[in-house]
Amino acid sequence: MIQRSPSIPSNFLFAGSDIKNFFHLFSKAPVGIAIYTGPSFILRFINDTTLEVWGKKREDILAKPLFEIFPELFHSDLAEIMNNVYKKAERFSAKGYEVNFLRNGETVTGYFDFILEPVLNTDGIIDIIAIASEITEEINNRKKIKEGEDRFRSLANEAPLFVWVTNENLQTTYINKTGLDYFGLDESMDLSALSWKKFIYSDDIERVLEIMFDSAKKHLPYTLEMRLKNGVTGKYRWFLDKGMPQYSNDKFTGFIGTSLDIQDRKEAEAILENRVMERTRELDNQNKLLKKQNDLVKKILDSTRDLIAVYDTDTRIIAINQSALEIFGNKEEEVIGKKLIEAFPQFSNSKNNDDLVKALDGETIHNDIYQSSVTGEYYENFLVPLRTDDNKIYAVLAMAHDNTNLINKNKELNEAQQIAQLASWDWNPDTNEVNWSEQMYHIYGYENERFPVTFEKALERMIPEDAEKVKQRMNEKIAEARQLFIEKGETIFNNPSIEYPIFLPDGSKKILRGAGKIILSPDGKVSVLDITENIKQLEELKKLNESDKLKSDFIKMASHELKTPVTSIKGYVQLLLTAINKDEDEKALSPLLIKSSLISIDKQTTRLTRLMSELLDLSKIETGKLELNKELFNLNELVIETVQDILYTNSKHTINIFHDFGCDIYGDKDRMGQVLINFLTNAIKYSPYSDKIEIWIKPSTKNYVSVSVKDYGIGIDKEDREKIFERFYRAQGKEEQTFPGFGIGLFIAKEIIQRHEGTIHLESEKGKGSVFTFTLPIAPPKK
Ligand code: ADP
């Protein structure tokens, strides 16, 4: 930077006038000019520019030695340079010479281009002319640029993205370290010899070039995405590439740009995209399903014969099903969105419209039966307000079920009941209201009279005793039903059938059978539904229709049963008669034979009498004329007496009585004895291979006593067990048919026991034996 020039010619002189001109010329020169004289470099001349650079005033420094003006430079290189110029009279020049000096009280670093020119003045003394220009600003700027460049490079090198520069042919001339590392390149490589295309994913190349050329042409920056190959792993990753075209005098010179790895973002995007796609597919499927469901709901709504419509709060129809449309002969599009009475003017001033308004007010409407003023049909309908989550009514759902058929069916049912002589009634114990069907009035003999019926009124035609019983039994059953309702929540109970006679206004008598149900509504309300049939007529009907076989069986059996004892009696009587008609010498009949014949006749007569009384009883039961002569008697005594009677004629069997328990009964003693005899004779009759019979008297459920007759005989099949108490029924087995009997003994026994408020039942196993049991209410003990 410092150059020494060849020495100045020593003949260089200032003439007096020259100096004047010289000073004048230089004082305003734009470069700094100063003249020093003598070995201590006394300042002889200084121009304004120099004063400004120095930050001094002329009067303060003129005629002073240089290093007195700048004592800080006394030990500097500059002092040596000055001495050299003076001593050797050689010119010195420097460029960008750095000087640290005080300017306006501050140490500054200044850079100067200067020339020191030694001249010999008129006094023979060497002067040094210094010509200098300060270039501090230039140098600083240059420094700054370099610093900036260095910073850019180091930043670029550290940047997590690639920073690159290309030339006008798009050949990369610079790429930062991050980029070099990625592509697996070395800093020392000659980038201009590299083919960059091999790093770009082949599918992307064309697009990338197109965008870059377009950008260069339009003087606009570009942004694109492309895949670049990792030089180390050989795998491609996605990059976001941004470039800015550069120009010099409008001529394109290349791009400067960055590339950012966006693989992770891309992958995340892909995942997101997949999710979105999946979700879209899901939604799509859901939509399809929903549509299907909607179609289904519509199909369901349309397939029902019920009428369904939904109204908004303005009574506008928002949905309506096919059935409803068909009734009024409208098309859906004609009524949807219209108010009810706009769509169907028939409905103005109708109950239906009133109900709709009420439902919109929040009331749920249910009409059990209502006759539409529009169609004339009978409907059961509901109008239900639909509410939002915050309980606001937004619509009303209306449904109507056409009950015309049901009502007609009811009519038919009534007629059927009439034909079948069946009647029904229901009773609400809380209000005591009784509803009689038409047929009920007929059965009770009220042909034209109609009146509100109460429970008492219904009982009027019964025998007071029966009426009392019916009432009591009904109350008991209702209490039981209520209990079961509380305990188990059951709501329907069978009311066991009961038979009772009634007396008609004309004095005639009928036997009725009632069987029904007790129904409890969820709030515990009771209603009793009862079917009453006129048994007599029914029995006749039955006989006509189905009991032909039973009847012919009965006739066969009856004629056989009656013929047997009569034939045998006839035999003995003839035997005795012949004995009486014998001649005296003929051998007389032995008294023993006569006795045994008479005993046989007596036995057969008893049997005949029993058969006949059974038949008589049967007819009494059928005509309701079986009368009971009730009295208080001891049950145990009756059992003992009956057993003794039986044993009198049946000595083969042993009958043991087990009775730790004893009690009195209020009832018909003879009839009760008849039941016992029936049980015992059956036990004997149907135990051909066993001779053991037991009778047990035990307390039964509260206030009841049970009497059981147990045998070890042939037993009874399950099938037969169910029917054994029916009239004329006899067990079906071959063996059983060989035993004599009418099949009415147990029927009569059941009648008698039931008329005493008792129960009758049997347990049996085929081949092992049977236990017949009856229970009776215990009478309070005699006082
Ligand atoms: P029957 O006069 O025919 O004995 P019942 O009415 O007394 O008529 O009995 C009906 C039927 O019940 C009988 O025909 C018989 O088949 C059956 N039966 C009754 N008691 C017994 C018994 N102790 N063991 C087996 N079968 C019996």
Side-chain angles (χ1 to χ4, degrees):
M1 190 174 281
I2 297 173
Q3 295 168 351
R4 288 192 188 271
S5 59
S7 60
I8 303 167
S10 54
N11 61 351
F12 185 85
L13 289 171
F14 289 110
S17 60
D18 285 345
I19 283 180
K20 220 177 170 189
N21 286 340
F22 174 84
F23 284 153
H24 182 75
L25 182 68
F26 290 157
S27 67
K28 298 291 176 201
V31 292
I33 297 171
I35 300 173
Y36 311 96
T37 195
S40 51
F41 315 119
I42 290 166
L43 184 68
R44 262 183 77 192
F45 171 82
I46 184 158
N47 73 345
D48 294 349
T49 307
T50 310
L51 280 173
E52 208 176 292
V53 170
W54 286 6
K56 311 263 185 198
K57 286 182 182 146
R58 184 173 278 116
E59 57 270 29
D60 291 343
I61 56 171
L62 206 60
K64 284 195 178 156
L66 174 63
F67 295 106
E68 213 171 283
I69 299 167
F70 293 105
E72 66 268 28
L73 298 179
F74 186 69
H75 293 295
S76 72
D77 288 350
L78 192 67
E80 209 188 317
I81 290 168
M82 286 294 278
N83 284 328
N84 267 336
V85 172
Y86 183 79
K87 278 183 197 149
K88 295 179 183 164
E90 270 177 16
R91 172 201 285 181
F92 178 89
S93 72
K95 271 186 186 297
Y97 187 81
E98 183 185 319
V99 186
N100 294 304
F101 65 101
L102 277 166
R103 178 149 62 192
N104 301 325
E106 258 181 62
T107 306
V108 295
T109 303
Y111 297 91
F112 299 91
D113 290 345
F114 68 87
I115 298 169
L116 299 175
E117 190 73 63
V119 286
L120 192 68
N121 67 16
T122 45
D123 300 329
I125 297 167
I126 288 180
D127 282 345
I128 295 175
I129 301 173
I131 302 165
S133 46
E134 184 170 3
I135 53 160
T136 308
E137 214 173 275
E138 251 177 87
I139 294 278
N140 282 345
N141 280 345
R142 220 181 294 146
K143 263 192 188 163
K144 262 187 211 147
I145 286 166
K146 194 171 177 314
E147 269 170 24
E149 243 171 43
D150 287 350
R151 215 175 33 237
F152 164 76
R153 275 180 199 261
S154 69
L155 268 181
N157 275 341
E158 296 308 318
L161 40 70
F162 309 165
V163 180
W164 45 260
V165 179
T166 74
N167 64 15
E168 67 275 19
N169 301 318
L170 306 189
Q171 175 68 35
T172 303
T173 52
Y174 165 79
I175 182 155
N176 69 347
K177 189 156 175 335
T178 314
L180 290 170
D181 288 349
Y182 182 81
F183 293 113
L185 304 173
D186 204 270
E187 252 168 303
S188 58
M189 263 179 172
D190 181 8
L191 293 181
S192 60
L194 212 71
S195 162
W196 287 94
K197 278 186 186 170
K198 69 174 188 193
F199 289 110
I200 301 173
Y201 191 69
S202 57
D203 283 0
D204 296 342
I205 290 177
E206 205 178 313
R207 181 173 50 90
V208 169
L209 291 177
E210 199 178 305
I211 291 172
M212 288 177 87
F213 284 129
D214 193 53
S215 158
K217 207 162 84 189
K218 291 185 177 155
H219 293 229
L220 284 173
Y222 73 85
T223 299
L224 59 81
E225 287 176 8
M226 64 172 159
R227 280 156 285 188
L228 292 173
K229 186 157 85 179
N230 183 306
V232 183
T233 65
K235 289 204 178 118
Y236 286 90
R237 289 177 73 84
W238 276 101
F239 283 82
L240 180 73
D241 203 57
K242 289 185 180 206
M244 172 73 100
Q246 306 290 306
Y247 303 89
S248 159
N249 297 329
D250 247 19
K251 197 178 164 281
F252 173 65
T253 57
F255 276 104
I256 177 160
T258 58
S259 306
L260 177 69
D261 185 331
I262 54 164
Q263 182 66 22
D264 293 347
R265 197 190 83 193
K266 268 280 193 207
E267 279 169 9
E269 261 174 23
I271 290 169
L272 200 72
E273 205 171 305
N274 265 339
R275 281 212 200 115
V276 169
M277 249 160 70
E278 242 168 59
R279 185 82 191 116
T280 312
R281 212 176 304 128
E282 249 170 51
L283 280 175
D284 221 49
N285 287 340
Q286 272 177 8
N287 269 341
K288 272 183 202 150
L289 201 71
L290 211 66
K291 195 172 161 343
K292 252 192 215 158
Q293 282 173 347
N294 263 344
D295 288 351
L296 195 69
V297 170
K298 200 166 153 38
K299 270 207 188 105
I300 292 170
L301 288 186
D302 284 347
S303 67
T304 174
R305 289 204 44 228
D306 291 352
L307 318 181
I308 301 172
V310 182
Y311 303 94
D312 72 4
T313 48
D314 218 16
T315 76
R316 284 177 208 285
I317 300 166
I318 45 184
I320 187 161
N321 75 339
Q322 207 51 39
S323 303
L325 289 167
E326 269 163 24
I327 290 225
F328 303 109
N330 285 87
K331 285 193 181 124
E332 193 169 353
E333 56 271 24
E334 291 169 353
V335 298
I336 290 282
K338 285 198 185 141
K339 287 188 182 183
L340 173 65
I341 50 175
E342 283 167 16
F344 306 109
Q346 313 93 293
F347 276 111
S348 32
N349 297 323
S350 70
K351 175 166 165 52
N352 202 298
N353 195 45
D354 292 349
D355 281 349
L356 175 59
V357 173
K358 279 190 210 160
L360 283 169
D361 245 17
E363 201 179 319
T364 298
I365 312 266
H366 176 205
N367 295 307
D368 242 343
I369 300 175
Y370 101 96
Q371 191 178 15
S372 163
S373 53
V374 176
T375 64
E377 304 281 292
Y378 292 91
Y379 296 95
E380 176 182 7
N381 75 343
F382 292 88
L383 286 101
V384 186
L386 305 178
R387 292 166 191 276
T388 58
D389 287 346
D390 52 359
N391 215 25
K392 278 205 191 103
I393 295 169
Y394 67 92
V396 164
L397 170 69
M399 292 173 287
H401 180 74
D402 188 343
N403 268 342
T404 312
N405 268 345
L406 195 74
I407 283 164
N408 289 341
K409 274 268 141 50
N410 251 336
K411 278 189 200 148
E412 280 168 26
L413 195 72
N414 240 323
E415 279 160 25
Q417 281 188 359
Q418 271 179 33
I419 293 163
Q421 299 281 313
L422 274 172
S424 65
W425 54 271
D426 62 77
W427 170 46
N428 181 339
D430 293 331
T431 60
N432 203 28
E433 255 171 59
V434 175
N435 243 323
W436 267 8
S437 73
E438 235 354 62
Q439 189 60 14
M440 208 61 191
Y441 288 96
H442 289 301
I443 286 186
Y444 272 74
Y446 301 104
E447 289 312 328
N448 299 312
E449 254 180 282
R450 294 293 177 269
F451 43 84
V453 187
T454 61
F455 193 51
E456 284 69 27
K457 181 85 186 165
L459 298 179
E460 231 173 44
R461 297 237 169 271
M462 293 187 193
I463 306 168
E465 207 183 314
D466 284 347
E468 199 46 48
K469 257 184 271 158
V470 167
K471 211 168 160 181
Q472 202 181 317
R473 195 185 71 145
M474 205 63 111
N475 285 331
E476 274 171 28
K477 290 286 164 199
I478 289 172
E480 252 173 56
R482 281 198 162 125
Q483 191 59 30
L484 280 170
F485 172 72
I486 292 166
E487 284 169 9
K488 299 182 180 164
E490 285 172 20
T491 54
I492 297 183
F493 305 88
N494 280 327
N495 206 7
S497 77
I498 177 172
E499 283 171 21
Y500 55 90
I502 59 161
F503 294 92
L504 301 191
D506 65 3
S508 64
K509 190 175 167 184
K510 264 186 191 169
I511 302 219
L512 303 183
R513 174 153 53 214
K517 294 203 185 311
I518 297 173
I519 301 161
L520 270 76
S521 60
D523 54 1
K525 270 206 194 114
V526 176
S527 61
V528 178
L529 182 74
D530 206 296
I531 301 224
T532 302
E533 50 184 341
N534 190 338
I535 297 180
K536 193 146 176 250
Q537 290 177 24
L538 209 71
E539 292 297 352
E540 274 161 11
L541 254 167
K542 260 194 199 161
K543 258 188 228 160
L544 280 175
N545 294 338
E546 42 174 275
S547 61
D548 272 0
K549 187 181 173 294
L550 224 53
K551 199 169 133 198
S552 69
D553 283 356
F554 173 71
I555 290 165
K556 260 190 257 160
M557 179 62 73
S559 55
H560 172 76
E561 283 299 300
L562 295 172
K563 230 161 65 193
T564 317
V566 172
T567 319
S568 126
I569 290 170
K570 206 167 174 191
Y572 288 113
V573 170
Q574 275 173 356
L575 184 73
L576 291 175
L577 275 178
T578 39
I580 292 165
N581 293 337
K582 281 241 162 41
D583 293 339
E584 294 219 353
D585 52 329
E586 275 180 84
K587 209 174 173 227
L589 212 59
S590 80
L592 208 67
L593 190 63
I594 294 173
K595 194 187 170 190
S596 82
S597 298
L598 286 174
I599 288 175
S600 291
I601 290 172
D602 185 45
K603 251 196 188 169
Q604 294 303 336
T605 322
T606 315
R607 186 171 163 199
L608 205 57
T609 315
R610 206 182 45 133
L611 287 174
M612 292 184 32
S613 69
E614 273 188 1
L615 280 176
L616 204 67
D617 285 347
L618 181 68
S619 97
K620 276 187 191 161
I621 289 169
E622 290 199 335
T623 51
K625 283 180 185 143
L626 185 77
E627 274 164 33
L628 299 179
N629 298 312
K630 289 192 178 175
E631 58 178 321
L632 203 61
F633 63 90
N634 185 276
L635 179 67
N636 306 58
E637 282 166 17
L638 174 69
V639 171
I640 294 165
E641 279 165 28
T642 312
V643 169
Q644 277 169 357
D645 276 357
I646 296 273
L647 287 179
Y648 180 72
T649 45
N650 295 278
S651 47
K652 270 198 301 186
H653 287 78
T654 54
I655 303 175
N656 289 314
I657 308 173
F658 300 91
H659 55 140
D660 291 347
F661 179 75
C663 66
D664 287 344
I665 296 293
Y666 180 74
D668 190 320
K669 191 176 174 185
D670 289 343
R671 290 291 180 196
M672 229 29 108
Q674 196 184 336
V675 174
L676 277 167
I677 289 170
N678 177 263
F679 277 17
L680 286 167
T681 51
N682 276 347
I684 292 166
K685 189 159 66 170
Y686 298 106
S687 303
Y689 311 113
S690 149
D691 56 6
K692 203 170 71 174
I693 289 162
E694 293 160 13
I695 302 185
W696 297 80
I697 303 175
K698 286 190 275 191
S700 176
T701 48
K702 54 165 188 178
N703 295 328
Y704 272 71
V705 60
S706 78
V707 179
S708 304
V709 174
K710 180 171 186 178
D711 66 59
Y712 297 87
I714 61 171
I716 305 167
D717 255 344
K718 185 172 184 297
E719 262 172 56
D720 293 324
R721 258 179 262 155
E722 286 159 12
K723 296 184 175 166
I724 221 95
F725 294 104
E726 284 174 18
R727 198 173 37 162
F728 304 139
Y729 193 86
R730 309 196 73 226
Q732 301 300 308
K734 270 222 178 83
E735 197 185 3
E736 283 86 342
Q737 299 297 328
T738 62
F739 298 100
F742 275 159
I744 48 178
L746 284 175
F747 174 72
I748 295 167
K750 186 183 96 180
E751 273 304 310
I752 292 168
I753 293 298
Q754 283 187 343
R755 296 274 313 260
H756 281 85
E757 300 300 306
T759 64
I760 193 162
H761 64 270
L762 91 103
E763 293 151 56
S764 181
E765 203 176 323
K766 188 77 186 158
K768 295 214 168 144
S770 314
V771 183
F772 279 82
T773 302
F774 64 80
T775 69
L776 287 173
I778 298 170
K782 274 180 267 187
K783 288 191 182 131

